Amino acid sequence: MAVETTFSIIKPDAVKRNLIGSIYQRFEAAGLKLVAVKMIQLDQAKAAGFYAEHLGRPFYEPLIDFMTSGPIVVQVLQGENAIAKNREIMGKTNFEEAEPGTIRADFASSVRENCVHGSDSVESAQREIAYFFSADEIFAAKS
Ligand code: DAT
Ligand code: MG
């Protein structure tokens, strides 16, 4: 297994519900290191660009409205097998299908309001990190 970096979002529902610390605790307990962090609010254009792969799907417009509804926290996580490990800690997109003990099983309130985003491949991790962070904002060890 390789040391990887992956991109993560704590979504507006989780920020509103005071879950930032609980979610960070899970990343750190799993051996994922926070190597870049910031709180921001997305505008429609930035959210639309981020979720462009879902353009045209029925859930797309409500997803953009939700993701722009309040501040989010974006972060870069680094660790062994970080991309798959983060997806595992998050749980399935639909919280009702997510394994108990995952972030979405424990905290999500709907399929849309599911607390976290995580990159799903090396390519999307690279693209998503670069969409939110410049190189000098990332404190990752070279891998
Ligand atoms: P994931 O976030 O697990 O990578 P995805 O990329 O398929 O899932 O979808 C992006 C987000 O869009 C997801 O976190 C929540 C929302 N979404 C996906 N499918 C949905 C659906 N059937 N109904 C409502 N929202 C949905
Ligand atoms: Mg996805």
PDB file of all heavy atoms in Angstrom, residues 11 51 53-54 57 59 63 87 90-93 104 111-112 114 116-118 120, ligand 1:
ATOM      1  N   LYS A  11     -19.581  18.727   5.200  1.00  0.00           N
ATOM      2  CA  LYS A  11     -20.653  19.431   4.492  1.00  0.00           C
ATOM      3  C   LYS A  11     -21.439  20.350   5.435  1.00  0.00           C
ATOM      4  O   LYS A  11     -21.309  20.250   6.665  1.00  0.00           O
ATOM      5  CB  LYS A  11     -21.570  18.397   3.826  1.00  0.00           C
ATOM      6  CG  LYS A  11     -20.864  17.599   2.712  1.00  0.00           C
ATOM      7  CD  LYS A  11     -21.824  16.650   1.994  1.00  0.00           C
ATOM      8  CE  LYS A  11     -21.118  15.883   0.881  1.00  0.00           C
ATOM      9  NZ  LYS A  11     -22.043  14.972   0.155  1.00  0.00           N
ATOM     10  N   TYR A  51     -19.145  19.508  -8.672  1.00  0.00           N
ATOM     11  CA  TYR A  51     -20.027  18.353  -8.902  1.00  0.00           C
ATOM     12  C   TYR A  51     -20.424  18.213 -10.375  1.00  0.00           C
ATOM     13  O   TYR A  51     -21.461  17.614 -10.676  1.00  0.00           O
ATOM     14  CB  TYR A  51     -21.271  18.462  -8.011  1.00  0.00           C
ATOM     15  CG  TYR A  51     -21.044  17.997  -6.583  1.00  0.00           C
ATOM     16  CD1 TYR A  51     -21.243  18.851  -5.496  1.00  0.00           C
ATOM     17  CD2 TYR A  51     -20.658  16.688  -6.309  1.00  0.00           C
ATOM     18  CE1 TYR A  51     -21.040  18.411  -4.186  1.00  0.00           C
ATOM     19  CE2 TYR A  51     -20.458  16.241  -5.012  1.00  0.00           C
ATOM     20  CZ  TYR A  51     -20.651  17.098  -3.952  1.00  0.00           C
ATOM     21  OH  TYR A  51     -20.467  16.655  -2.663  1.00  0.00           O
ATOM     22  N   GLU A  53     -19.595  16.264 -12.636  1.00  0.00           N
ATOM     23  CA  GLU A  53     -19.841  14.889 -13.097  1.00  0.00           C
ATOM     24  C   GLU A  53     -21.306  14.465 -12.904  1.00  0.00           C
ATOM     25  O   GLU A  53     -21.766  13.510 -13.528  1.00  0.00           O
ATOM     26  CB  GLU A  53     -18.918  13.893 -12.366  1.00  0.00           C
ATOM     27  CG  GLU A  53     -19.203  13.796 -10.883  1.00  0.00           C
ATOM     28  CD  GLU A  53     -18.278  12.818 -10.111  1.00  0.00           C
ATOM     29  OE1 GLU A  53     -18.268  11.636 -10.451  1.00  0.00           O
ATOM     30  OE2 GLU A  53     -17.614  13.277  -9.170  1.00  0.00           O
ATOM     31  N   HIS A  54     -22.025  15.165 -11.997  1.00  0.00           N
ATOM     32  CA  HIS A  54     -23.412  14.784 -11.716  1.00  0.00           C
ATOM     33  C   HIS A  54     -24.443  15.670 -12.434  1.00  0.00           C
ATOM     34  O   HIS A  54     -25.648  15.499 -12.225  1.00  0.00           O
ATOM     35  CB  HIS A  54     -23.678  14.824 -10.206  1.00  0.00           C
ATOM     36  CG  HIS A  54     -22.891  13.815  -9.437  1.00  0.00           C
ATOM     37  ND1 HIS A  54     -22.887  12.481  -9.741  1.00  0.00           N
ATOM     38  CD2 HIS A  54     -22.063  13.950  -8.363  1.00  0.00           C
ATOM     39  CE1 HIS A  54     -22.099  11.827  -8.892  1.00  0.00           C
ATOM     40  NE2 HIS A  54     -21.574  12.691  -8.054  1.00  0.00           N
ATOM     41  N   ARG A  57     -28.308  14.885 -13.411  1.00  0.00           N
ATOM     42  CA  ARG A  57     -28.961  13.889 -12.551  1.00  0.00           C
ATOM     43  C   ARG A  57     -30.060  14.585 -11.737  1.00  0.00           C
ATOM     44  O   ARG A  57     -29.952  15.773 -11.429  1.00  0.00           O
ATOM     45  CB  ARG A  57     -27.933  13.266 -11.591  1.00  0.00           C
ATOM     46  CG  ARG A  57     -26.753  12.614 -12.288  1.00  0.00           C
ATOM     47  CD  ARG A  57     -26.606  11.132 -11.905  1.00  0.00           C
ATOM     48  NE  ARG A  57     -25.639  10.487 -12.790  1.00  0.00           N
ATOM     49  CZ  ARG A  57     -24.351  10.268 -12.461  1.00  0.00           C
ATOM     50  NH1 ARG A  57     -23.895  10.584 -11.257  1.00  0.00           N
ATOM     51  NH2 ARG A  57     -23.531   9.702 -13.314  1.00  0.00           N
ATOM     52  N   PHE A  59     -30.789  14.579  -8.683  1.00  0.00           N
ATOM     53  CA  PHE A  59     -30.403  15.132  -7.372  1.00  0.00           C
ATOM     54  C   PHE A  59     -29.437  16.310  -7.480  1.00  0.00           C
ATOM     55  O   PHE A  59     -29.046  16.885  -6.471  1.00  0.00           O
ATOM     56  CB  PHE A  59     -29.789  14.033  -6.493  1.00  0.00           C
ATOM     57  CG  PHE A  59     -28.533  13.385  -7.051  1.00  0.00           C
ATOM     58  CD1 PHE A  59     -27.284  13.979  -6.892  1.00  0.00           C
ATOM     59  CD2 PHE A  59     -28.602  12.163  -7.724  1.00  0.00           C
ATOM     60  CE1 PHE A  59     -26.137  13.387  -7.395  1.00  0.00           C
ATOM     61  CE2 PHE A  59     -27.443  11.565  -8.240  1.00  0.00           C
ATOM     62  CZ  PHE A  59     -26.217  12.183  -8.071  1.00  0.00           C
ATOM     63  N   LEU A  63     -28.617  19.231  -4.646  1.00  0.00           N
ATOM     64  CA  LEU A  63     -27.272  19.022  -4.078  1.00  0.00           C
ATOM     65  C   LEU A  63     -26.499  20.348  -4.073  1.00  0.00           C
ATOM     66  O   LEU A  63     -25.860  20.702  -3.063  1.00  0.00           O
ATOM     67  CB  LEU A  63     -26.532  17.963  -4.899  1.00  0.00           C
ATOM     68  CG  LEU A  63     -25.054  17.744  -4.571  1.00  0.00           C
ATOM     69  CD1 LEU A  63     -24.881  17.191  -3.158  1.00  0.00           C
ATOM     70  CD2 LEU A  63     -24.411  16.803  -5.599  1.00  0.00           C
ATOM     71  N   ARG A  87     -12.998   6.627   2.359  1.00  0.00           N
ATOM     72  CA  ARG A  87     -14.324   6.186   1.887  1.00  0.00           C
ATOM     73  C   ARG A  87     -14.916   5.163   2.852  1.00  0.00           C
ATOM     74  O   ARG A  87     -16.133   5.121   3.073  1.00  0.00           O
ATOM     75  CB  ARG A  87     -14.222   5.570   0.479  1.00  0.00           C
ATOM     76  CG  ARG A  87     -13.782   6.520  -0.635  1.00  0.00           C
ATOM     77  CD  ARG A  87     -14.835   7.499  -1.061  1.00  0.00           C
ATOM     78  NE  ARG A  87     -16.069   6.905  -1.526  1.00  0.00           N
ATOM     79  CZ  ARG A  87     -17.047   7.580  -2.154  1.00  0.00           C
ATOM     80  NH1 ARG A  87     -16.926   8.887  -2.395  1.00  0.00           N
ATOM     81  NH2 ARG A  87     -18.148   6.987  -2.539  1.00  0.00           N
ATOM     82  N   MET A  90     -16.173   6.954   5.922  1.00  0.00           N
ATOM     83  CA  MET A  90     -17.382   7.726   5.597  1.00  0.00           C
ATOM     84  C   MET A  90     -18.624   6.845   5.567  1.00  0.00           C
ATOM     85  O   MET A  90     -19.696   7.260   6.004  1.00  0.00           O
ATOM     86  CB  MET A  90     -17.240   8.353   4.203  1.00  0.00           C
ATOM     87  CG  MET A  90     -16.227   9.471   4.103  1.00  0.00           C
ATOM     88  SD  MET A  90     -15.802   9.822   2.381  1.00  0.00           S
ATOM     89  CE  MET A  90     -17.386  10.123   1.619  1.00  0.00           C
ATOM     90  N   GLY A  91     -18.505   5.650   4.988  1.00  0.00           N
ATOM     91  CA  GLY A  91     -19.663   4.786   4.760  1.00  0.00           C
ATOM     92  C   GLY A  91     -20.336   5.106   3.436  1.00  0.00           C
ATOM     93  O   GLY A  91     -20.008   6.082   2.756  1.00  0.00           O
ATOM     94  N   LYS A  92     -21.295   4.270   3.059  1.00  0.00           N
ATOM     95  CA  LYS A  92     -21.944   4.406   1.750  1.00  0.00           C
ATOM     96  C   LYS A  92     -22.710   5.717   1.631  1.00  0.00           C
ATOM     97  O   LYS A  92     -23.164   6.276   2.633  1.00  0.00           O
ATOM     98  CB  LYS A  92     -22.891   3.232   1.520  1.00  0.00           C
ATOM     99  CG  LYS A  92     -22.140   1.934   1.297  1.00  0.00           C
ATOM    100  CD  LYS A  92     -23.064   0.840   0.793  1.00  0.00           C
ATOM    101  CE  LYS A  92     -22.253  -0.429   0.576  1.00  0.00           C
ATOM    102  NZ  LYS A  92     -23.073  -1.635   0.665  1.00  0.00           N
ATOM    103  N   THR A  93     -22.895   6.159   0.373  1.00  0.00           N
ATOM    104  CA  THR A  93     -23.610   7.406   0.070  1.00  0.00           C
ATOM    105  C   THR A  93     -24.959   7.440   0.786  1.00  0.00           C
ATOM    106  O   THR A  93     -25.312   8.443   1.410  1.00  0.00           O
ATOM    107  CB  THR A  93     -23.835   7.518  -1.462  1.00  0.00           C
ATOM    108  OG1 THR A  93     -22.592   7.292  -2.135  1.00  0.00           O
ATOM    109  CG2 THR A  93     -24.409   8.871  -1.828  1.00  0.00           C
ATOM    110  N   ARG A 104     -21.377   8.357   8.052  1.00  0.00           N
ATOM    111  CA  ARG A 104     -22.724   8.537   7.505  1.00  0.00           C
ATOM    112  C   ARG A 104     -23.761   7.718   8.256  1.00  0.00           C
ATOM    113  O   ARG A 104     -24.878   8.201   8.496  1.00  0.00           O
ATOM    114  CB  ARG A 104     -22.704   8.210   6.006  1.00  0.00           C
ATOM    115  CG  ARG A 104     -22.038   9.328   5.186  1.00  0.00           C
ATOM    116  CD  ARG A 104     -21.696   8.908   3.797  1.00  0.00           C
ATOM    117  NE  ARG A 104     -21.410  10.048   2.913  1.00  0.00           N
ATOM    118  CZ  ARG A 104     -20.982   9.924   1.676  1.00  0.00           C
ATOM    119  NH1 ARG A 104     -20.799   8.726   1.140  1.00  0.00           N
ATOM    120  NH2 ARG A 104     -20.741  10.994   0.929  1.00  0.00           N
ATOM    121  N   VAL A 111     -30.034  11.000   2.354  1.00  0.00           N
ATOM    122  CA  VAL A 111     -29.049  10.646   1.323  1.00  0.00           C
ATOM    123  C   VAL A 111     -28.296  11.909   0.903  1.00  0.00           C
ATOM    124  O   VAL A 111     -27.089  11.880   0.689  1.00  0.00           O
ATOM    125  CB  VAL A 111     -29.726   9.978   0.105  1.00  0.00           C
ATOM    126  CG1 VAL A 111     -28.697   9.656  -0.982  1.00  0.00           C
ATOM    127  CG2 VAL A 111     -30.446   8.712   0.531  1.00  0.00           C
ATOM    128  N   ARG A 112     -29.020  13.028   0.796  1.00  0.00           N
ATOM    129  CA  ARG A 112     -28.356  14.283   0.402  1.00  0.00           C
ATOM    130  C   ARG A 112     -27.510  14.841   1.535  1.00  0.00           C
ATOM    131  O   ARG A 112     -26.355  15.213   1.343  1.00  0.00           O
ATOM    132  CB  ARG A 112     -29.405  15.324  -0.016  1.00  0.00           C
ATOM    133  CG  ARG A 112     -28.801  16.685  -0.377  1.00  0.00           C
ATOM    134  CD  ARG A 112     -29.852  17.635  -0.931  1.00  0.00           C
ATOM    135  NE  ARG A 112     -30.576  17.006  -2.006  1.00  0.00           N
ATOM    136  CZ  ARG A 112     -31.879  16.708  -1.978  1.00  0.00           C
ATOM    137  NH1 ARG A 112     -32.622  17.028  -0.930  1.00  0.00           N
ATOM    138  NH2 ARG A 112     -32.447  16.114  -2.988  1.00  0.00           N
ATOM    139  N   ASN A 114     -25.472  14.132   3.974  1.00  0.00           N
ATOM    140  CA  ASN A 114     -24.735  12.968   4.457  1.00  0.00           C
ATOM    141  C   ASN A 114     -23.345  13.312   4.995  1.00  0.00           C
ATOM    142  O   ASN A 114     -22.448  12.490   5.022  1.00  0.00           O
ATOM    143  CB  ASN A 114     -24.682  11.881   3.373  1.00  0.00           C
ATOM    144  CG  ASN A 114     -23.949  12.334   2.122  1.00  0.00           C
ATOM    145  OD1 ASN A 114     -23.420  13.433   2.071  1.00  0.00           O
ATOM    146  ND2 ASN A 114     -23.914  11.476   1.115  1.00  0.00           N
ATOM    147  N   VAL A 116     -20.369  14.263   4.792  1.00  0.00           N
ATOM    148  CA  VAL A 116     -18.995  14.286   4.285  1.00  0.00           C
ATOM    149  C   VAL A 116     -18.919  13.947   2.796  1.00  0.00           C
ATOM    150  O   VAL A 116     -19.768  13.227   2.268  1.00  0.00           O
ATOM    151  CB  VAL A 116     -18.073  13.284   5.046  1.00  0.00           C
ATOM    152  CG1 VAL A 116     -17.615  13.856   6.379  1.00  0.00           C
ATOM    153  CG2 VAL A 116     -18.735  11.924   5.217  1.00  0.00           C
ATOM    154  N   HIS A 117     -17.872  14.490   2.180  1.00  0.00           N
ATOM    155  CA  HIS A 117     -17.449  14.084   0.835  1.00  0.00           C
ATOM    156  C   HIS A 117     -16.056  13.486   0.940  1.00  0.00           C
ATOM    157  O   HIS A 117     -15.243  13.943   1.757  1.00  0.00           O
ATOM    158  CB  HIS A 117     -17.386  15.288  -0.121  1.00  0.00           C
ATOM    159  CG  HIS A 117     -16.647  14.987  -1.389  1.00  0.00           C
ATOM    160  ND1 HIS A 117     -17.258  14.408  -2.475  1.00  0.00           N
ATOM    161  CD2 HIS A 117     -15.328  15.115  -1.720  1.00  0.00           C
ATOM    162  CE1 HIS A 117     -16.349  14.212  -3.423  1.00  0.00           C
ATOM    163  NE2 HIS A 117     -15.169  14.626  -2.986  1.00  0.00           N
ATOM    164  N   GLY A 118     -15.742  12.511   0.097  1.00  0.00           N
ATOM    165  CA  GLY A 118     -14.373  12.009  -0.014  1.00  0.00           C
ATOM    166  C   GLY A 118     -14.081  11.604  -1.444  1.00  0.00           C
ATOM    167  O   GLY A 118     -14.938  11.005  -2.114  1.00  0.00           O
ATOM    168  N   ASP A 120     -12.940   9.609  -4.718  1.00  0.00           N
ATOM    169  CA  ASP A 120     -13.164   8.173  -4.965  1.00  0.00           C
ATOM    170  C   ASP A 120     -12.071   7.512  -5.804  1.00  0.00           C
ATOM    171  O   ASP A 120     -12.158   6.330  -6.111  1.00  0.00           O
ATOM    172  CB  ASP A 120     -14.545   7.951  -5.592  1.00  0.00           C
ATOM    173  CG  ASP A 120     -14.702   8.651  -6.930  1.00  0.00           C
ATOM    174  OD1 ASP A 120     -13.695   9.185  -7.467  1.00  0.00           O
ATOM    175  OD2 ASP A 120     -15.829   8.670  -7.453  1.00  0.00           O
TER     176      ASP A 120
HETATM  177  P1  DAT B   1     -20.513  10.092  -2.762  1.00  0.00           P
HETATM  178  O1  DAT B   1     -20.668  11.425  -2.056  1.00  0.00           O
HETATM  179  O2  DAT B   1     -20.688   8.925  -1.828  1.00  0.00           O
HETATM  180  O3  DAT B   1     -19.258  10.015  -3.589  1.00  0.00           O
HETATM  181  P2  DAT B   1     -21.953  10.501  -5.267  1.00  0.00           P
HETATM  182  O4  DAT B   1     -20.679  11.022  -5.833  1.00  0.00           O
HETATM  183  O5  DAT B   1     -22.668   9.431  -6.030  1.00  0.00           O
HETATM  184  O6  DAT B   1     -21.763   9.970  -3.775  1.00  0.00           O
HETATM  185  O7  DAT B   1     -22.987  11.691  -5.099  1.00  0.00           O
HETATM  186  C1  DAT B   1     -22.550  12.965  -4.622  1.00  0.00           C
HETATM  187  C2  DAT B   1     -23.549  13.454  -3.612  1.00  0.00           C
HETATM  188  O8  DAT B   1     -24.805  13.677  -4.243  1.00  0.00           O
HETATM  189  C3  DAT B   1     -23.855  12.484  -2.464  1.00  0.00           C
HETATM  190  O9  DAT B   1     -22.915  12.562  -1.413  1.00  0.00           O
HETATM  191  C4  DAT B   1     -25.217  12.931  -2.050  1.00  0.00           C
HETATM  192  C5  DAT B   1     -25.862  13.354  -3.353  1.00  0.00           C
HETATM  193  N1  DAT B   1     -26.658  12.256  -3.918  1.00  0.00           N
HETATM  194  C6  DAT B   1     -26.197  11.176  -4.616  1.00  0.00           C
HETATM  195  N2  DAT B   1     -27.204  10.356  -4.958  1.00  0.00           N
HETATM  196  C7  DAT B   1     -28.319  10.916  -4.458  1.00  0.00           C
HETATM  197  C8  DAT B   1     -29.709  10.576  -4.462  1.00  0.00           C
HETATM  198  N3  DAT B   1     -30.150   9.449  -5.047  1.00  0.00           N
HETATM  199  N4  DAT B   1     -30.576  11.399  -3.829  1.00  0.00           N
HETATM  200  C9  DAT B   1     -30.160  12.545  -3.238  1.00  0.00           C
HETATM  201  N5  DAT B   1     -28.878  12.951  -3.193  1.00  0.00           N
HETATM  202  C10 DAT B   1     -27.970  12.150  -3.798  1.00  0.00           C
END
